[in-house]
Amino acid sequence: MPASLDELKHKVELQLNVIYQDIELPMPITELSQLLLDEMNIPDTFVEPVPYANHWSEKDMILITYGDSIIEADKKPLKTLASFMDNYLDDKINSVHILPFFPYSSDDGFSVIDYSSVNESLGDWQDIEDIADKYKLMSDLVINHCSSRSAWFQNFIKGSGVGKDYFFTADPSDDLSQVVRPRTSPLLRETETAEGTKHVWCTFSHDQVDLDFRNPQVLLAFVSIIRQYLDSGVKIFRLDAVAFLWKIIGSPSINLPHTHEVIRLLRTLIEHTKPETVIITETNIPNTQNLTYFGNANEAHCIYNFSLPPLLVNSLITGNCTYLKRWLMSMPPAQNGTSYFNFIASHDGIGLRPAEGLLSDLELNTLVNTMQTFGGRVSWRTSDTGEQKAYEINIALYDALKGTTKGEDKWGLERFICAHAVMFGLEGIPGIYIHSFLATQNDYEKLKNTHHNRAINRHRWDYQLLQEQLDSNFSTHSKVLNRMLALIDIRTKQPAFHPNATQYVLHLGLQLFGYWRQSLNRKQSIFCISNISDEKVELRLNELNLIVTDNWFDLISGTHIEDTATELELMPYQTVWLTNFRNEE
């Protein structure tokens, strides 16, 4: 590792040589590397990052929310969000991912107009910094594209000023047949500019114009943005849609080696500025491709565990954990310095690409059809062969789990809690979407008004109405929040739930999904077993290899295990966390 600024500069130069190996730059690599270091303002006496260090523990839980998921009259939403977290999450959550809080033109924030400003309708930088003072703040770096209404793109149209050469263009006659798309809209946007008609690359929508990282000025611009976010208290960077960052005509233009090297370069710059900062890559792609973003513990610290939501929901609606268990068995343990970022629900939908090769076409069709009967919508993409394929299911998680393939039933709440009990125990860092905490259901009104499928799971709560629901012992919203917080309270005290603690999958049949966690010091074991069916199931404890000389009990119910050779009857969707060690902190 670099021990001096000169050595660090040399490392950056090597990385830049890989990125720009086929490109004629307007400046020498040595000059570009110095500009990057100057932009990050790395001091001569920088603190050397410790290799393979885990910047997380079992205490880390991340709330995922929009800045205005909760609103109240005459108050900026960021202040309301802070009030909600302080009053209702009861110190159980130590981190928060505030989805893009910048001025934007579409896609609920992911079409950024100005990266350097806070959306005035949400609050200001002081509100962001106040939250960052109390919680680990995770921010999006929307790095693949920006808004067509940004000053950068307007300068591209004018042909002068910052941004005039920031955007990737192609010719309609180019071979674009291999390009992997997450959308069905035309890839190229015809745009009239001062220099004539140009066709701008748009991976997502024509309001989201793709940036051209072949131009080193784009890289410098984003390094400047990163430095500003660090100064404002950001401790976790979510690299949005980063898999599409580098484009090459005639290639799939996804997961290219240049993209991986850009991430490694940003990692180098960030960790030599603030060593405990974490990078999470958002790559909604097939599982084997997603895993490559760990690199050799030198790219992303964490990757989104995108296969978990479709596989877990599939298990709970079918009562069969075969596919979930098979996938978990194939997942490599994250080496020290890396971790999985686990989630079930997010501001987007349940992505189906990460289930490709893991669920059969029949299982995928059954999943899609079941979600549609529960009010969900489906977003589509165009496959390599030109056919329309389901890309993601858009539905609120509470509605997604209100029944099984047989239809809606009485077990919805228990099934919902079971899903989170499974996720909370898994290797990795849990992320909980705010609407999962609140048991929010499908927002058909917002869907109708916006005509965007994802709006169904982006409800905006009135704080007063929400408080009335949460303060009532009888409301579903209150029951869910309290039970989730109770699980989190247990989870964050167990060394065996450290994100990098040992994990082994258990073989307990189709209806019982289980895994064993062991703390890093090997003192605590937790056997996590969930009945993922709508029937009572007997759990034979002698199949768990419980050490007979240890004192075993269930962390969730508090039940003591008197006889390790007996059977436990698990109710539908009941979870037990059987452990030999209780941390009473």
Side-chain angles (χ1 to χ4, degrees):
M1 294 291 289
S4 69
L5 206 54
D6 286 340
E7 291 179 358
L8 176 59
K9 185 173 184 291
H10 179 64
K11 179 179 181 179
V12 170
E13 288 170 4
L14 293 175
Q15 293 176 311
L16 290 171
N17 275 314
V18 173
I19 296 168
Y20 295 110
Q21 57 187 299
D22 302 319
I23 295 170
E24 185 176 341
L25 294 177
M27 67 183 79
I29 287 290
T30 54
E31 181 181 340
L32 178 56
S33 64
Q34 188 60 56
L35 288 172
L36 289 168
L37 295 175
D38 291 345
E39 203 66 63
M40 287 299 286
N41 194 26
I42 300 174
D44 292 336
T45 55
F46 63 81
V47 176
E48 183 64 34
V50 178
Y52 305 104
N54 296 324
H55 303 308
W56 43 78
S57 75
E58 63 274 11
K59 299 185 183 301
D60 287 303
M61 306 285 292
I62 302 179
L63 171 70
I64 305 167
T65 180
Y66 280 103
D68 60 355
S69 290
I70 306 173
I71 57 174
E72 60 182 322
D74 303 321
K75 197 168 184 179
K76 291 293 186 180
L78 286 172
K79 293 188 184 299
T80 301
L81 174 63
S83 175
F84 166 76
M85 290 191 292
D86 292 346
N87 293 331
Y88 286 96
L89 298 187
D90 195 28
D91 297 325
K92 302 297 190 297
I93 295 293
N94 68 352
S95 308
V96 58
H97 172 201
I98 305 178
L99 291 152
F101 46 80
F102 319 104
Y104 70 96
S105 55
S106 64
D107 199 18
D108 281 353
F110 286 92
S111 185
V112 179
I113 293 175
D114 179 7
Y115 290 88
S116 64
S117 302
V118 173
N119 188 335
E120 290 182 358
S121 67
L122 298 177
D124 55 31
W125 279 114
Q126 187 59 56
D127 296 318
I128 292 293
E129 291 171 16
D130 288 345
I131 291 173
D133 285 341
K134 297 188 67 174
Y135 302 88
K136 292 182 184 178
L137 177 61
M138 178 170 164
S139 172
D140 288 275
L141 189 68
V142 185
I143 196 169
N144 176 71
H145 53 263
C146 69
S147 169
S148 65
R149 288 174 48 193
S150 65
W152 287 351
F153 194 68
Q154 295 308 306
N155 287 341
F156 169 82
I157 293 173
K158 291 188 299 183
S160 64
V162 176
K164 67 181 178 62
D165 50 3
Y166 276 19
F167 298 93
F168 197 96
T169 60
D171 191 281
S173 64
D174 289 334
D175 178 12
L176 305 175
S177 59
Q178 296 183 53
V179 175
V180 174
R181 297 288 313 290
R183 300 289 186 271
T184 57
S185 58
L187 174 63
L188 300 182
R189 163 189 163 143
E190 185 175 303
T191 304
E192 297 302 324
T193 77
E195 299 174 357
T197 302
K198 294 189 178 183
H199 295 86
V200 182
W201 193 289
C202 298
T203 298
F204 292 91
S205 78
H206 282 194
D207 184 45
Q208 294 165 298
V209 284
D210 281 36
L211 294 148
D212 187 357
F213 274 83
R214 294 175 304 179
N215 179 355
Q217 293 300 327
V218 176
L219 177 61
L220 282 164
F222 273 92
V223 169
S224 175
I225 292 163
I226 288 169
R227 178 71 239 197
Q228 180 188 358
Y229 293 2
L230 287 171
D231 290 339
S232 297
V234 172
K235 294 182 176 63
I236 308 170
F237 285 89
R238 176 187 184 269
L239 303 189
D240 177 65
V242 71
F244 302 96
L245 180 139
W246 200 273
K247 292 89 174 164
I248 295 178
I249 303 298
S251 81
S253 294
I254 187 173
N255 304 324
L256 295 181
H258 307 70
T259 294
H260 286 279
E261 195 63 42
V262 169
I263 296 170
R264 286 193 282 268
L265 172 63
L266 296 180
R267 164 83 174 257
T268 297
L269 294 171
I270 288 171
E271 69 181 1
H272 283 86
T273 306
K274 296 201 174 180
E276 294 188 357
T277 305
V278 170
I279 295 173
I280 301 182
T281 49
E282 188 268 336
T283 46
N284 192 355
I285 51 180
N287 190 53
T288 52
Q289 298 174 27
N290 192 28
L291 288 168
T292 65
Y293 284 85
F294 278 139
N296 183 24
N298 61 349
E299 286 189 42
H301 295 89
C302 306
I303 61 171
Y304 272 74
N305 221 347
F306 274 111
S307 297
L308 177 61
L311 293 176
L312 182 51
V313 171
N314 172 76
S315 294
L316 289 164
I317 66 168
T318 63
N320 183 335
C321 67
T322 298
Y323 295 96
L324 178 63
K325 182 168 66 175
R326 187 180 296 162
W327 162 73
L328 195 62
M329 289 170 59
S330 72
M331 291 293 281
Q335 62 179 311
N336 281 330
T338 67
S339 177
Y340 294 106
F341 180 61
N342 296 325
F343 70 106
I344 318 173
S346 74
H347 63 289
D348 291 336
I350 300 171
L352 297 179
R353 288 215 70 203
E356 292 176 9
L358 301 174
L359 290 178
S360 67
D361 287 344
L362 177 61
E363 291 287 332
L364 281 169
N365 289 335
T366 300
L367 176 61
V368 169
N369 292 337
T370 304
M371 294 301 98
Q372 287 178 311
T373 65
F374 296 157
R377 301 294 189 269
V378 179
S379 295
W380 302 86
R381 70 179 180 91
T382 303
S383 72
D384 297 342
T385 58
E387 65 178 318
Q388 299 286 93
K389 297 195 71 171
Y391 173 71
E392 72 178 13
I393 301 164
N394 304 111
I395 191 170
L397 185 63
Y398 195 81
D399 279 330
L401 296 175
K402 67 182 180 181
T404 68
T405 54
K406 296 178 286 188
E408 189 173 346
D409 60 24
K410 66 180 181 179
W411 297 107
L413 190 150
E414 298 303 325
R415 192 179 292 111
F416 185 80
I417 297 298
C418 177
H420 288 88
V422 169
M423 191 257 284
F424 289 163
L426 285 173
E427 174 189 357
I429 302 168
I432 309 99
Y433 189 36
I434 192 169
H435 293 302
S436 295
F437 268 125
L438 304 177
T440 309
Q441 295 183 271
N442 292 334
D443 190 334
Y444 297 112
E445 188 66 25
K446 191 169 185 180
L447 175 65
K448 177 182 175 182
N449 292 336
T450 64
H451 304 290
H452 293 302
N453 285 350
R454 286 176 168 176
I456 199 171
N457 192 28
R458 297 178 178 179
H459 181 69
R460 189 173 289 139
W461 275 97
D462 174 83
Y463 195 28
Q464 183 176 345
L465 176 60
L466 178 61
Q467 287 175 307
E468 292 172 1
Q469 292 295 319
L470 296 182
D471 293 343
S472 166
N473 293 329
F474 303 102
S475 79
T476 300
H477 310 287
S478 173
K479 291 175 182 177
V480 165
L481 179 62
N482 289 332
R483 289 187 63 178
M484 295 266 278
L485 292 178
L487 283 175
I488 290 170
D489 187 48
I490 298 170
R491 192 257 184 205
T492 54
K493 295 175 181 176
Q494 313 310 318
F497 283 148
H498 186 285
N500 295 87
T502 298
Q503 175 175 286
Y504 285 107
V505 178
L506 304 174
H507 298 277
L508 303 169
L510 301 181
Q511 296 173 299
L512 293 178
F513 175 66
Y515 48 91
W516 169 58
R517 301 295 309 278
Q518 186 181 55
S519 60
L520 298 173
N521 64 9
R522 303 182 69 178
K523 290 184 178 180
Q524 184 186 35
S525 287
I526 304 179
F527 290 88
C528 306
I529 300 110
S530 296
N531 177 3
I532 50 89
S533 78
D534 57 3
E535 303 172 349
K536 296 179 183 178
V537 180
E538 297 292 336
L539 168 64
R540 293 188 290 273
L541 294 179
N542 58 11
E543 294 185 4
L544 299 183
N545 298 321
L546 301 183
I547 298 172
V548 295
T549 56
D550 285 352
N551 184 29
W552 294 92
F553 55 91
D554 174 22
L555 285 165
I556 296 176
S557 68
T559 303
H560 182 256
I561 306 300
E562 301 288 348
D563 182 2
T564 58
T566 190
E567 295 183 349
L568 288 183
E569 183 180 68
L570 297 189
M571 296 294 291
Y573 307 106
Q574 181 182 352
T575 295
V576 291
W577 287 343
L578 304 179
T579 190
N580 60 342
F581 172 85
R582 186 196 299 269
N583 189 341
E584 299 286 3
E585 68 174 37

